[in-house]
Amino acid sequence: MEAPAENFFTPVVPLDFVYNYRVGPYIERYLRGFKDKKILGSKCPGCGKVVVPARMYCGPCNRRMEELVEVSQEGSLENYTIGHVILEKGAIKPAKGPYMLGLINLDGTDSLLLGRVEGVSVAAAKPGLRVKAVWKEELDGDFKDLDHFEPV
Amino acid sequence: MRNVGIIGIGYTPVFVSKRKDVNIAEMISEAVEDCFANTGLGPDDIDAMVFGNMHTFEGVNMPHLWAADYIASLGKPVMRIATGGTTGMSAIHAAYYHIASGLHDVVMVVCFEKQSEGDSQVGLMGIVTPEIMAMLQAGIDISGSSGMGALAGGSAGAISFQASSYLARSGAGIEHIDGMAALERRNAAKNPYAHLKDANATAESVARTALISYPIRFGHICPTSDGATVAILASEEKAAELADGAAWIHGLANCASDASAGNILEGVITDPAEQMPCQLAAKQAFERAGIKDPKKEIDCVEIYNGFAHQTLMFLEKLGMCEVGEAHKLLDAGELEINGRCPVNASGGVVSTNAIGTSAMNRVTECALQILGQAGEHQVEKDVHKALSHGWGGLMQYVTITVLADKPRKG
Ligand SMILES: [Zn+2]
C-alpha cells in the first residue's frame, strides 16, 4: 500500500483544566511568615536537620517534623545558572537581558532554596558567594513576596 | 509461584468530598502511618513500593517520585500503576507479581485520589476525548466510550446505556437499582471509612432523587472522594515472621475487550452490559484459585460499582448467581450484610470513590472480612473465601482477585 503523507486529524478539545492544590498546614504557615518577612523551616526530631520551605516529612528519617523554626535570611549561593530566554505561555522568547537563578543554602539550614539573584555579574558568580533575601515592598503572604537575593 | 498474603491495611482517617486541611502528600502519609501503626511494621521492613492514582484527575502523574518522603519510599524500588478505574487493584496485582516471582518479600501498595483538587468530569473528558479521537483515526469502534462525550454527565452519561441494557436483559426494574443503592448506603453507615452514608436509606428514598440519564438517578451514582489506602503484602515466610494473620491471594486475573465496550469477543452487536472481560477474568481467576462453584465457595463479594446497577449486573457476570437472578437475591434479602451472599458490606464504590483507591479497597475490604477485622460492617457469616472485582478502562477492563483465609496449596 502506498504510504499516505498528508492526512491529519486535529481535534480541538474544549476543556479548561482547573486545579486547586491545597498547600497544607506547613506551607500555609511558611507563607504567613512571609507577611512578617520571616522565613520558616521545619526541624526533624530525628536527624535535627532544618529544611526550607517548611514541610511535614523528613524522608531519610521517616519522621514527621512538628517544629517550625525561623531561619537566617542570609546564606551562600551553592549553584547557579544564567538564563537568556524566558517562557511565555509555553513559547520560548529572548529575555530582556541575562538573569541569574540560584540555589541558596540559608545559614543553619540543610536544604537549598531556589531564588532569583540580582547584582552579581557573570564574572563574579561563584559557589560560596554570600547573599541575602530581598523582600517586595508590599507583602501578600505569597511565594512572590521573597523577591530575590543579592550579595551581602 | 510463591504464596502472597495481605498482612496489613491502612486508610486515611476519613474519605470525604474535600480534605481542605492537608495537601496531597500529607494526606497520603496519613494512610501510610495508619498501616505502619496497625502492623507494627516500619519503612525498614518494606522491600519495594507500588503506587497508584488515576490519570488526569488532579493532574499529578509522578507523585510516587515527588512525594517519596511521605510514602517511605526513599531509596527503594518504586513504580506507578495507572489503569483507570482499576488502578488500585492493578497495583495490588503488581505487588503480587513482585513477591510471587521471588524478586521481593515485602511490598507496600499506596493508592490515593484527592478529587477535590481537580475537576473529575473534565479529567475524565481529558482522557476520553483524545483517546476516542485517536481510536477513531485508527478505525476502531468508539460506540462504547463516545457516550461520555455525547451525553451529559461524563461517565454517568455513558453508563446509562449499560444500565438500560442490563434492565432489559435481566428483567430487573429501576426499583431494583434504587434498592441496591439503598442497601449500600446503609452498609456505608456502618463503615467509618465510607463517604456517603445513610442508615435509613430505602428504595423509596433513593427513588425520590432526580433522574440524570434514564435509568440512572442521582441516588445511584458514586461521589467524588478524597482519600488514600495502603496495604502491605508479603511472602508466606515473611508473613509468618511479621504478622499474626493474612488474607491470601489465591487467584487473580484481568481482561479487556474491544473499545466498543461490547462483545467483539462474543458477537457483533455492541452491548455495554455484556462485559465479556468480566466473565473471562472471573473464570480465569477462579481456575487459578481452584474454585469450581463460586456460588457455593465464595462467602462475600466486593464489586466495583460506580453506579448501583453494576452491583447486580456484575454479580451475574462474575457467576455469583444466574443471569436475571441478582435482583431476586436482592428482593430476598440475600445481598444484605447478614445475608447468604453479602455484597459490598463496605458500602461499595457507589458510597466511596477516591478513584485510585476504589479498586484497591475492594481487595482490602475482602481482606478485612477474611481477617475478621471489618468492625461494624463485618458480615454475619464466616468468611473463608472472598471475591473482589475492579472495573474501568474504557468501560471494558476488569480485574479480579480471589482471597482466602489460608495459603494456597500446590
Ligand atoms: Zn530527619
Side-chain angles (χ1 to χ4, degrees):
Chain A
M1 226 160 78
E2 209 178 311
E6 294 295 336
N7 282 326
F8 290 101
F9 183 64
T10 312
V12 175
V13 183
L15 297 173
D16 287 327
F17 286 83
V18 178
Y19 297 113
N20 296 296
Y21 297 124
R22 304 266 173 202
V23 297
Y26 288 76
I27 294 296
E28 193 86 49
R29 285 174 65 186
Y30 178 74
L31 293 177
R32 234 183 281 148
F34 275 15
K35 279 197 155 180
D36 304 320
K37 295 192 182 179
K38 284 180 179 171
I39 303 175
L40 296 178
S42 46
K43 187 173 183 179
C44 175
C47 60
K49 287 183 176 168
V50 174
V51 295
V52 176
R55 52 180 301 180
M56 186 196 262
Y57 255 87
C58 174
C61 300
N62 284 300
R63 296 279 294 267
R64 269 195 194 218
M65 300 189 278
E66 308 282 359
E67 190 187 349
L68 264 61
V69 292
E70 187 185 347
V71 304
S72 171
Q73 312 224 346
E74 288 188 18
S76 53
L77 181 71
E78 293 294 320
N79 198 343
Y80 68 93
T81 185
I82 294 159
H84 293 265
V85 295
I86 54 163
L87 207 56
E88 228 177 63
K89 289 185 179 174
I92 293 175
K93 302 207 169 137
K96 282 184 195 132
Y99 61 96
M100 184 180 289
L101 287 177
L103 296 175
I104 292 128
N105 176 223
L106 294 173
D107 294 344
T109 72
D110 301 277
S111 59
L112 297 172
L113 188 64
L114 175 73
R116 213 156 45 81
V117 183
E118 289 189 0
V120 181
S121 70
V122 175
K126 63 174 194 300
L129 189 81
R130 297 292 298 165
V131 293
K132 65 173 187 204
V134 178
W135 299 88
K136 265 186 7 185
E137 273 183 22
E138 279 192 28
L139 301 168
D140 306 314
D142 186 275
F143 283 106
K144 290 174 184 158
D145 287 354
L146 209 178
D147 192 66
H148 66 273
F149 289 84
E150 65 180 25
V152 174
Chain B
M1 286 209 291
R2 304 199 299 170
N3 272 318
V4 180
I6 296 171
I7 62 167
I9 292 160
Y11 293 123
T12 41
V14 289
F15 283 68
V16 291
S17 294
K18 292 189 171 85
R19 278 299 302 275
K20 298 181 181 176
D21 55 328
V22 284
N23 64 34
I24 288 173
E26 289 162 355
M27 186 189 77
I28 299 168
S29 76
E30 295 173 347
V32 175
E33 287 182 351
D34 186 49
C35 192
F36 284 147
N38 292 341
T39 54
L41 301 178
D44 292 345
D45 296 305
I46 309 298
D47 299 331
M49 315 278 300
V50 180
F51 189 98
N53 72 308
M54 183 75 189
H55 330 58
T56 317
F57 278 46
E58 314 87 356
V60 297
N61 297 302
M62 290 187 243
H64 59 304
L65 304 181
W66 56 256
D69 290 355
Y70 293 77
I71 59 171
S73 74
L74 277 189
K76 297 186 196 301
V78 59
M79 62 160 66
R80 174 182 179 237
I81 301 280
T83 61
T86 44
T87 289
M89 200 182 297
S90 297
I92 292 274
H93 286 188
Y96 174 87
Y97 304 149
H98 278 47
I99 298 167
S101 66
L103 190 65
H104 296 295
D105 292 320
V106 184
V107 177
M108 188 154 93
V109 181
V110 179
C111 288
F112 92 97
E113 216 69 66
K114 202 160 189 287
Q115 294 212 57
S116 65
E117 298 188 357
D119 181 329
S120 299
Q121 293 306 335
V122 170
L124 202 57
M125 293 304 297
I127 297 166
V128 170
T129 310
E131 218 71 68
I132 62 175
M133 293 304 173
M135 282 154 62
L136 194 65
Q137 291 314 292
I140 294 166
D141 176 5
I142 60 162
S143 50
S145 356
S146 63
M148 291 202 207
L151 286 163
S155 58
I159 214 67
S160 49
F161 284 127
Q162 184 187 79
S164 189
S165 168
Y166 160 71
L167 292 185
R169 275 184 170 228
S170 66
I174 189 169
E175 68 276 14
H176 292 104
I177 311 181
D178 299 335
M180 195 64 236
L183 185 155
E184 301 201 44
R185 294 277 193 271
R186 293 195 301 274
N187 285 352
K190 299 178 198 287
N191 177 3
Y193 303 103
H195 180 175
L196 292 183
K197 312 173 188 213
D198 183 356
N200 302 314
T202 60
E204 292 71 31
S205 68
V206 173
R208 286 194 290 272
T209 62
L211 263 178
I212 301 297
S213 184
Y214 174 85
I216 297 296
R217 299 188 205 279
F218 187 72
H220 302 161
I221 303 178
C222 59
T224 57
S225 315
D226 290 355
T229 303
V230 171
I232 298 175
L233 282 71
S235 64
E236 194 168 352
E237 197 175 280
K238 273 286 179 184
E241 182 190 318
L242 298 176
D244 294 332
W248 299 94
I249 295 177
H250 276 212
L252 49 76
N254 67 75
C255 185
S257 80
D258 69 298
S260 70
N263 56 358
I264 214 167
L265 292 160
E266 187 193 49
V268 288
I269 299 170
T270 293
D271 177 2
E274 184 60 42
Q275 292 294 316
M276 275 304 283
C278 181
Q279 302 179 50
L280 294 172
K283 186 167 173 282
Q284 206 170 51
F286 289 143
E287 272 169 21
R288 287 175 178 155
I291 287 175
K292 292 188 180 63
D293 185 355
K295 294 186 202 72
K296 292 203 181 87
E297 295 174 67
I298 296 291
D299 299 306
C300 74
V301 191
E302 281 284 335
I303 284 174
Y304 190 109
N305 58 339
F307 309 90
H309 73 281
Q310 294 186 311
T311 326
L312 299 166
M313 180 186 80
F314 281 124
L315 274 174
E316 297 178 2
K317 303 300 167 187
L318 290 164
M320 291 304 298
C321 61
E322 299 304 321
V323 172
E325 200 186 28
H327 65 285
K328 294 172 188 162
L329 295 183
L330 175 71
D331 286 341
E334 295 193 353
L335 307 182
E336 303 273 351
I337 215 161
N338 58 359
R340 190 177 59 83
C341 177
V343 59
N344 289 0
S346 64
V349 181
V350 80
S351 302
T352 313
N353 191 25
I355 296 198
T357 72
S358 291
M360 179 173 177
N361 288 6
R362 310 287 56 78
V363 181
T364 55
E365 285 297 325
C366 282
L368 289 174
Q369 293 290 349
I370 282 172
L371 293 164
Q373 294 172 3
E376 216 194 319
H377 66 287
Q378 181 74 38
V379 305
E380 202 170 272
K381 65 196 277 198
D382 288 342
V383 179
H384 301 289
K385 288 185 179 169
L387 169 63
S388 55
H389 156 270
W391 172 82
L394 291 162
M395 313 202 303
Q396 39 58 290
Y397 183 59
V398 168
T399 55
I400 304 284
T401 309
V402 179
L403 296 173
D405 57 352
K406 293 183 185 66
R408 197 177 54 162
K409 293 201 184 76

PDB file of all heavy atoms in Angstrom, chain A residues 44-49 58-63 65, ligand 1:
ATOM      1  N   CYS A  44      13.737  18.416  61.880  1.00  0.00           N
ATOM      2  CA  CYS A  44      13.475  16.988  62.078  1.00  0.00           C
ATOM      3  C   CYS A  44      13.856  16.572  63.497  1.00  0.00           C
ATOM      4  O   CYS A  44      14.972  16.830  63.939  1.00  0.00           O
ATOM      5  CB  CYS A  44      14.246  16.156  61.057  1.00  0.00           C
ATOM      6  SG  CYS A  44      14.081  14.385  61.351  1.00  0.00           S
ATOM      7  N   PRO A  45      12.940  15.900  64.206  1.00  0.00           N
ATOM      8  CA  PRO A  45      13.260  15.443  65.551  1.00  0.00           C
ATOM      9  C   PRO A  45      14.261  14.287  65.538  1.00  0.00           C
ATOM     10  O   PRO A  45      14.873  13.980  66.562  1.00  0.00           O
ATOM     11  CB  PRO A  45      11.909  14.982  66.102  1.00  0.00           C
ATOM     12  CG  PRO A  45      11.106  14.631  64.897  1.00  0.00           C
ATOM     13  CD  PRO A  45      11.579  15.527  63.793  1.00  0.00           C
ATOM     14  N   GLY A  46      14.450  13.664  64.374  1.00  0.00           N
ATOM     15  CA  GLY A  46      15.387  12.542  64.278  1.00  0.00           C
ATOM     16  C   GLY A  46      16.804  13.006  64.035  1.00  0.00           C
ATOM     17  O   GLY A  46      17.686  12.877  64.885  1.00  0.00           O
ATOM     18  N   CYS A  47      17.044  13.628  62.881  1.00  0.00           N
ATOM     19  CA  CYS A  47      18.403  13.991  62.491  1.00  0.00           C
ATOM     20  C   CYS A  47      18.740  15.441  62.838  1.00  0.00           C
ATOM     21  O   CYS A  47      19.884  15.854  62.722  1.00  0.00           O
ATOM     22  CB  CYS A  47      18.604  13.754  60.993  1.00  0.00           C
ATOM     23  SG  CYS A  47      17.479  14.721  59.957  1.00  0.00           S
ATOM     24  N   GLY A  48      17.732  16.225  63.247  1.00  0.00           N
ATOM     25  CA  GLY A  48      17.984  17.610  63.646  1.00  0.00           C
ATOM     26  C   GLY A  48      18.160  18.556  62.480  1.00  0.00           C
ATOM     27  O   GLY A  48      18.420  19.739  62.666  1.00  0.00           O
ATOM     28  N   LYS A  49      18.017  18.048  61.265  1.00  0.00           N
ATOM     29  CA  LYS A  49      18.201  18.911  60.104  1.00  0.00           C
ATOM     30  C   LYS A  49      17.017  19.864  59.940  1.00  0.00           C
ATOM     31  O   LYS A  49      15.896  19.553  60.329  1.00  0.00           O
ATOM     32  CB  LYS A  49      18.381  18.070  58.839  1.00  0.00           C
ATOM     33  CG  LYS A  49      19.758  17.400  58.802  1.00  0.00           C
ATOM     34  CD  LYS A  49      19.994  16.615  57.546  1.00  0.00           C
ATOM     35  CE  LYS A  49      21.429  16.077  57.559  1.00  0.00           C
ATOM     36  NZ  LYS A  49      21.673  15.084  56.537  1.00  0.00           N
ATOM     37  N   CYS A  58      10.466  14.266  57.079  1.00  0.00           N
ATOM     38  CA  CYS A  58      11.882  14.061  56.786  1.00  0.00           C
ATOM     39  C   CYS A  58      12.005  12.651  56.207  1.00  0.00           C
ATOM     40  O   CYS A  58      11.817  11.663  56.932  1.00  0.00           O
ATOM     41  CB  CYS A  58      12.745  14.191  58.035  1.00  0.00           C
ATOM     42  SG  CYS A  58      14.474  13.775  57.718  1.00  0.00           S
ATOM     43  N   GLY A  59      12.260  12.561  54.906  1.00  0.00           N
ATOM     44  CA  GLY A  59      12.301  11.271  54.223  1.00  0.00           C
ATOM     45  C   GLY A  59      13.342  10.318  54.773  1.00  0.00           C
ATOM     46  O   GLY A  59      13.032   9.164  55.084  1.00  0.00           O
ATOM     47  N   PRO A  60      14.599  10.753  54.915  1.00  0.00           N
ATOM     48  CA  PRO A  60      15.636   9.833  55.393  1.00  0.00           C
ATOM     49  C   PRO A  60      15.305   9.239  56.765  1.00  0.00           C
ATOM     50  O   PRO A  60      15.668   8.110  57.050  1.00  0.00           O
ATOM     51  CB  PRO A  60      16.887  10.709  55.456  1.00  0.00           C
ATOM     52  CG  PRO A  60      16.637  11.782  54.440  1.00  0.00           C
ATOM     53  CD  PRO A  60      15.157  12.041  54.482  1.00  0.00           C
ATOM     54  N   CYS A  61      14.648  10.017  57.638  1.00  0.00           N
ATOM     55  CA  CYS A  61      14.311   9.513  58.977  1.00  0.00           C
ATOM     56  C   CYS A  61      12.902   8.930  59.035  1.00  0.00           C
ATOM     57  O   CYS A  61      12.543   8.297  60.024  1.00  0.00           O
ATOM     58  CB  CYS A  61      14.397  10.636  60.015  1.00  0.00           C
ATOM     59  SG  CYS A  61      16.016  11.384  60.133  1.00  0.00           S
ATOM     60  N   ASN A  62      12.083   9.169  57.999  1.00  0.00           N
ATOM     61  CA  ASN A  62      10.663   8.816  58.037  1.00  0.00           C
ATOM     62  C   ASN A  62      10.006   9.343  59.311  1.00  0.00           C
ATOM     63  O   ASN A  62       9.295   8.627  60.005  1.00  0.00           O
ATOM     64  CB  ASN A  62      10.479   7.295  57.918  1.00  0.00           C
ATOM     65  CG  ASN A  62      10.693   6.841  56.491  1.00  0.00           C
ATOM     66  OD1 ASN A  62       9.992   7.258  55.587  1.00  0.00           O
ATOM     67  ND2 ASN A  62      11.715   6.027  56.286  1.00  0.00           N
ATOM     68  N   ARG A  63      10.274  10.603  59.602  1.00  0.00           N
ATOM     69  CA  ARG A  63       9.695  11.227  60.806  1.00  0.00           C
ATOM     70  C   ARG A  63       8.891  12.451  60.412  1.00  0.00           C
ATOM     71  O   ARG A  63       9.269  13.198  59.507  1.00  0.00           O
ATOM     72  CB  ARG A  63      10.815  11.675  61.769  1.00  0.00           C
ATOM     73  CG  ARG A  63      11.664  10.542  62.330  1.00  0.00           C
ATOM     74  CD  ARG A  63      11.001   9.829  63.495  1.00  0.00           C
ATOM     75  NE  ARG A  63      10.862  10.673  64.666  1.00  0.00           N
ATOM     76  CZ  ARG A  63      11.759  10.731  65.664  1.00  0.00           C
ATOM     77  NH1 ARG A  63      12.866  10.017  65.608  1.00  0.00           N
ATOM     78  NH2 ARG A  63      11.529  11.496  66.722  1.00  0.00           N
ATOM     79  N   MET A  65       7.929  16.176  61.006  1.00  0.00           N
ATOM     80  CA  MET A  65       8.610  17.329  61.589  1.00  0.00           C
ATOM     81  C   MET A  65       7.539  18.255  62.147  1.00  0.00           C
ATOM     82  O   MET A  65       6.793  18.867  61.397  1.00  0.00           O
ATOM     83  CB  MET A  65       9.456  18.033  60.530  1.00  0.00           C
ATOM     84  CG  MET A  65      10.524  17.118  59.936  1.00  0.00           C
ATOM     85  SD  MET A  65      11.707  17.940  58.883  1.00  0.00           S
ATOM     86  CE  MET A  65      10.799  18.019  57.351  1.00  0.00           C
TER      87      MET A  65
HETATM   88 ZN    ZN C   1      15.455  13.555  59.817  1.00  0.00          ZN
END
